[in-house]
Amino acid sequence: MKFKQILTVFLVMAAPLVAAPKNALFIFADDLGYTDLGCFGSSFYETPNLDALCADAMKLTNAYAACPVCSPTRSSVLTGQYPARTRNTDYFGAYNPKPGSAIPKHLKNRPVSAAPYVERLPAELTTLPEALKEHGYATFFAGKWHLGPKGSWPTDHGFDINKGGWTRGGPYGGKKYFSPYGNPVLEDGPDGEHLPDRLAQETNKFINATGDKPFFAMLSFYSVHTPLIGRKDLVEKYKKKAEKLAYSKEETWGFDTPRKVRLKQDHAVYGAMVEAMDEAVGKVIDNLKKSGKYEDTVIIFYSDNGGLSTSEGWPTSNLPLRAGKGWLYEGGIREPAMIRIPGVTKAGSSLETPITSTDIFPTILESCGLPLQPKVHVDGVSLLKTLKAEKERALYWHYPHWGNQGGSPGGAVRLGDYKYIRYYTGKPAELFNLKEDPSEKNNLIDKQPEMAKKLSGMFDAWLKETDAVMPIKNPDYDGKLKKW
């Protein structure tokens, strides 16, 4: 997006802010793909509540997760720092090389071993809720946490109340997405109660109890992470929709080395999960309106990584974006996102300027009229500043791990329309012009060597500045496995 276009976006925003909204609601989806909402292009999943919110907000068309998997992105939201800097570079619970630890069998014959990483949110870092508590905010968390063992749960990092956030990255206990939950920090509801709805209920209960006190609520859905389980009524609805589509095997599946990839959205259970999450969002938005707090609340919706299209049930497609969760291609890191700042954002507007998940921290502070803390959220830029930017800003990724979904260790940088991907395995680097080639099909590395050199140099400098931990060369690699 050119500078004049950015200025134009700023000028078409609503009338100047009279008084900053005092509350903030951050809604975080898990594994939701870029095109999994109707307002972002899905014609299969039905998301009327998020579509309505998007129509009343600013749509963020180039919003990125700081990592193609969950825990690192969650860390980036709460700290305003890149995972490379905090060393939270993989999902917590993944293989973590340590002295004396055995390399898993499936990773033994790889060109490099995964880099070690920190499996908890660093206690010494100031988090977003801690920054807000300094200004008298009541803080609340509901849903998926996945940022460390006991001692590093939400209430250890600035949240007054925690409903459901603990060590595990999915609803794996009890009846999983239905009560009894088997969750140590979420009381069981009536038998068969649905988790997304319960999280919405808890969020509404908190909002209604705050009175006139400013609040920050983080509604962090487990949806639509595996296990793939949906409400029976919605599953039946989407089975009928899928039957009418009747895609052939050739239409449904493609291949991106080393994995097959889903090309069509027609998974009935996943559709049920998406719609149930949307219903829960609708209940929270309706409650804000009924309580009179809607026009006094900043609302941000985001997802933590791309949709699951290359493994673990292959439930969705991210087309036209390439690949999905666990990959550095756009399908793994570009997210459906929107923001509504009363008195600032214009209903139905959109922003093409690239932003990333580290920006949420400063954006909430500034939107609520609070001072920024640049020494804390060192990698985040407030969206209000992005709108007035006079210089293109680079975004970076560092994922030195073998993803469960087929992605390989690597990193990337985006500057303007160009994106450079470097693999840590020996696989050749790639360069794409995302404006002309959003599906990343045309590698320009040999056609535009000067741009590749520029971005490669920027990436090297960033790795050094963040003191990024790199994978280790595997001395037992026999050279036979492709370096994908």
PDB file of all heavy atoms in Angstrom, residues 245-258:
ATOM      1  N   LEU A 245     -22.522 -29.707  -2.812  1.00  0.00           N
ATOM      2  CA  LEU A 245     -21.322 -29.277  -3.550  1.00  0.00           C
ATOM      3  C   LEU A 245     -20.718 -30.428  -4.337  1.00  0.00           C
ATOM      4  O   LEU A 245     -20.293 -30.255  -5.483  1.00  0.00           O
ATOM      5  CB  LEU A 245     -20.288 -28.703  -2.580  1.00  0.00           C
ATOM      6  CG  LEU A 245     -20.693 -27.420  -1.855  1.00  0.00           C
ATOM      7  CD1 LEU A 245     -19.659 -27.062  -0.797  1.00  0.00           C
ATOM      8  CD2 LEU A 245     -20.856 -26.266  -2.841  1.00  0.00           C
ATOM      9  N   ALA A 246     -20.638 -31.590  -3.696  1.00  0.00           N
ATOM     10  CA  ALA A 246     -20.172 -32.824  -4.349  1.00  0.00           C
ATOM     11  C   ALA A 246     -18.874 -32.630  -5.132  1.00  0.00           C
ATOM     12  O   ALA A 246     -18.786 -32.970  -6.314  1.00  0.00           O
ATOM     13  CB  ALA A 246     -21.267 -33.374  -5.268  1.00  0.00           C
ATOM     14  N   TYR A 247     -17.839 -32.096  -4.476  1.00  0.00           N
ATOM     15  CA  TYR A 247     -16.551 -31.922  -5.150  1.00  0.00           C
ATOM     16  C   TYR A 247     -15.912 -33.281  -5.419  1.00  0.00           C
ATOM     17  O   TYR A 247     -16.016 -34.215  -4.622  1.00  0.00           O
ATOM     18  CB  TYR A 247     -15.602 -31.099  -4.271  1.00  0.00           C
ATOM     19  CG  TYR A 247     -16.010 -29.671  -4.063  1.00  0.00           C
ATOM     20  CD1 TYR A 247     -16.148 -29.148  -2.780  1.00  0.00           C
ATOM     21  CD2 TYR A 247     -16.240 -28.825  -5.147  1.00  0.00           C
ATOM     22  CE1 TYR A 247     -16.502 -27.817  -2.569  1.00  0.00           C
ATOM     23  CE2 TYR A 247     -16.599 -27.498  -4.958  1.00  0.00           C
ATOM     24  CZ  TYR A 247     -16.732 -27.009  -3.667  1.00  0.00           C
ATOM     25  OH  TYR A 247     -17.088 -25.696  -3.472  1.00  0.00           O
ATOM     26  N   SER A 248     -15.219 -33.386  -6.530  1.00  0.00           N
ATOM     27  CA  SER A 248     -14.488 -34.607  -6.844  1.00  0.00           C
ATOM     28  C   SER A 248     -13.189 -34.641  -6.055  1.00  0.00           C
ATOM     29  O   SER A 248     -12.749 -33.634  -5.488  1.00  0.00           O
ATOM     30  CB  SER A 248     -14.164 -34.662  -8.337  1.00  0.00           C
ATOM     31  OG  SER A 248     -13.226 -33.649  -8.675  1.00  0.00           O
ATOM     32  N   LYS A 249     -12.552 -35.797  -6.036  1.00  0.00           N
ATOM     33  CA  LYS A 249     -11.269 -35.949  -5.350  1.00  0.00           C
ATOM     34  C   LYS A 249     -10.235 -35.018  -5.966  1.00  0.00           C
ATOM     35  O   LYS A 249      -9.425 -34.408  -5.257  1.00  0.00           O
ATOM     36  CB  LYS A 249     -10.808 -37.399  -5.459  1.00  0.00           C
ATOM     37  CG  LYS A 249      -9.518 -37.695  -4.717  1.00  0.00           C
ATOM     38  CD  LYS A 249      -9.157 -39.170  -4.825  1.00  0.00           C
ATOM     39  CE  LYS A 249      -7.849 -39.477  -4.103  1.00  0.00           C
ATOM     40  NZ  LYS A 249      -7.491 -40.918  -4.212  1.00  0.00           N
ATOM     41  N   GLU A 250     -10.258 -34.890  -7.272  1.00  0.00           N
ATOM     42  CA  GLU A 250      -9.291 -34.037  -7.976  1.00  0.00           C
ATOM     43  C   GLU A 250      -9.508 -32.565  -7.633  1.00  0.00           C
ATOM     44  O   GLU A 250      -8.552 -31.784  -7.559  1.00  0.00           O
ATOM     45  CB  GLU A 250      -9.421 -34.242  -9.490  1.00  0.00           C
ATOM     46  CG  GLU A 250      -8.943 -35.588  -9.998  1.00  0.00           C
ATOM     47  CD  GLU A 250      -9.892 -36.731  -9.631  1.00  0.00           C
ATOM     48  OE1 GLU A 250     -11.101 -36.459  -9.395  1.00  0.00           O
ATOM     49  OE2 GLU A 250      -9.431 -37.887  -9.567  1.00  0.00           O
ATOM     50  N   GLU A 251     -10.767 -32.175  -7.437  1.00  0.00           N
ATOM     51  CA  GLU A 251     -11.060 -30.789  -7.075  1.00  0.00           C
ATOM     52  C   GLU A 251     -10.679 -30.484  -5.623  1.00  0.00           C
ATOM     53  O   GLU A 251     -10.305 -29.358  -5.295  1.00  0.00           O
ATOM     54  CB  GLU A 251     -12.564 -30.514  -7.243  1.00  0.00           C
ATOM     55  CG  GLU A 251     -13.055 -30.476  -8.675  1.00  0.00           C
ATOM     56  CD  GLU A 251     -14.563 -30.296  -8.730  1.00  0.00           C
ATOM     57  OE1 GLU A 251     -15.289 -31.145  -8.151  1.00  0.00           O
ATOM     58  OE2 GLU A 251     -15.016 -29.314  -9.350  1.00  0.00           O
ATOM     59  N   THR A 252     -10.764 -31.491  -4.776  1.00  0.00           N
ATOM     60  CA  THR A 252     -10.591 -31.292  -3.337  1.00  0.00           C
ATOM     61  C   THR A 252      -9.137 -31.252  -2.901  1.00  0.00           C
ATOM     62  O   THR A 252      -8.785 -30.540  -1.957  1.00  0.00           O
ATOM     63  CB  THR A 252     -11.317 -32.409  -2.555  1.00  0.00           C
ATOM     64  OG1 THR A 252     -12.698 -32.407  -2.939  1.00  0.00           O
ATOM     65  CG2 THR A 252     -11.205 -32.218  -1.052  1.00  0.00           C
ATOM     66  N   TRP A 253      -8.261 -32.003  -3.588  1.00  0.00           N
ATOM     67  CA  TRP A 253      -6.900 -32.186  -3.086  1.00  0.00           C
ATOM     68  C   TRP A 253      -5.825 -31.717  -4.050  1.00  0.00           C
ATOM     69  O   TRP A 253      -5.928 -31.895  -5.256  1.00  0.00           O
ATOM     70  CB  TRP A 253      -6.657 -33.660  -2.748  1.00  0.00           C
ATOM     71  CG  TRP A 253      -7.584 -34.169  -1.703  1.00  0.00           C
ATOM     72  CD1 TRP A 253      -8.663 -34.978  -1.876  1.00  0.00           C
ATOM     73  CD2 TRP A 253      -7.545 -33.849  -0.308  1.00  0.00           C
ATOM     74  NE1 TRP A 253      -9.296 -35.196  -0.680  1.00  0.00           N
ATOM     75  CE2 TRP A 253      -8.630 -34.513   0.306  1.00  0.00           C
ATOM     76  CE3 TRP A 253      -6.702 -33.070   0.482  1.00  0.00           C
ATOM     77  CZ2 TRP A 253      -8.896 -34.419   1.664  1.00  0.00           C
ATOM     78  CZ3 TRP A 253      -6.962 -32.979   1.842  1.00  0.00           C
ATOM     79  CH2 TRP A 253      -8.038 -33.651   2.409  1.00  0.00           C
ATOM     80  N   GLY A 254      -4.797 -31.106  -3.477  1.00  0.00           N
ATOM     81  CA  GLY A 254      -3.588 -30.753  -4.205  1.00  0.00           C
ATOM     82  C   GLY A 254      -2.392 -31.301  -3.450  1.00  0.00           C
ATOM     83  O   GLY A 254      -2.541 -32.082  -2.513  1.00  0.00           O
ATOM     84  N   PHE A 255      -1.198 -30.842  -3.824  1.00  0.00           N
ATOM     85  CA  PHE A 255       0.013 -31.324  -3.155  1.00  0.00           C
ATOM     86  C   PHE A 255       1.040 -30.202  -3.081  1.00  0.00           C
ATOM     87  O   PHE A 255       1.260 -29.462  -4.042  1.00  0.00           O
ATOM     88  CB  PHE A 255       0.617 -32.514  -3.911  1.00  0.00           C
ATOM     89  CG  PHE A 255       1.706 -33.213  -3.154  1.00  0.00           C
ATOM     90  CD1 PHE A 255       1.409 -34.110  -2.139  1.00  0.00           C
ATOM     91  CD2 PHE A 255       3.053 -32.969  -3.434  1.00  0.00           C
ATOM     92  CE1 PHE A 255       2.403 -34.760  -1.422  1.00  0.00           C
ATOM     93  CE2 PHE A 255       4.059 -33.603  -2.732  1.00  0.00           C
ATOM     94  CZ  PHE A 255       3.731 -34.505  -1.721  1.00  0.00           C
ATOM     95  N   ASP A 256       1.626 -30.042  -1.894  1.00  0.00           N
ATOM     96  CA  ASP A 256       2.708 -29.087  -1.675  1.00  0.00           C
ATOM     97  C   ASP A 256       3.757 -29.843  -0.864  1.00  0.00           C
ATOM     98  O   ASP A 256       3.537 -30.140   0.308  1.00  0.00           O
ATOM     99  CB  ASP A 256       2.207 -27.860  -0.912  1.00  0.00           C
ATOM    100  CG  ASP A 256       3.015 -26.607  -1.215  1.00  0.00           C
ATOM    101  OD1 ASP A 256       4.190 -26.756  -1.588  1.00  0.00           O
ATOM    102  OD2 ASP A 256       2.479 -25.492  -1.084  1.00  0.00           O
ATOM    103  N   THR A 257       4.856 -30.199  -1.477  1.00  0.00           N
ATOM    104  CA  THR A 257       5.866 -31.074  -0.866  1.00  0.00           C
ATOM    105  C   THR A 257       6.168 -30.672   0.572  1.00  0.00           C
ATOM    106  O   THR A 257       6.462 -29.500   0.830  1.00  0.00           O
ATOM    107  CB  THR A 257       7.169 -31.038  -1.685  1.00  0.00           C
ATOM    108  OG1 THR A 257       6.858 -31.384  -3.035  1.00  0.00           O
ATOM    109  CG2 THR A 257       8.187 -32.011  -1.143  1.00  0.00           C
ATOM    110  N   PRO A 258       6.026 -31.578   1.548  1.00  0.00           N
ATOM    111  CA  PRO A 258       5.823 -33.017   1.404  1.00  0.00           C
ATOM    112  C   PRO A 258       4.390 -33.477   1.706  1.00  0.00           C
ATOM    113  O   PRO A 258       4.179 -34.632   2.046  1.00  0.00           O
ATOM    114  CB  PRO A 258       6.761 -33.574   2.477  1.00  0.00           C
ATOM    115  CG  PRO A 258       6.589 -32.582   3.601  1.00  0.00           C
ATOM    116  CD  PRO A 258       6.404 -31.240   2.936  1.00  0.00           C
TER     117      PRO A 258
END
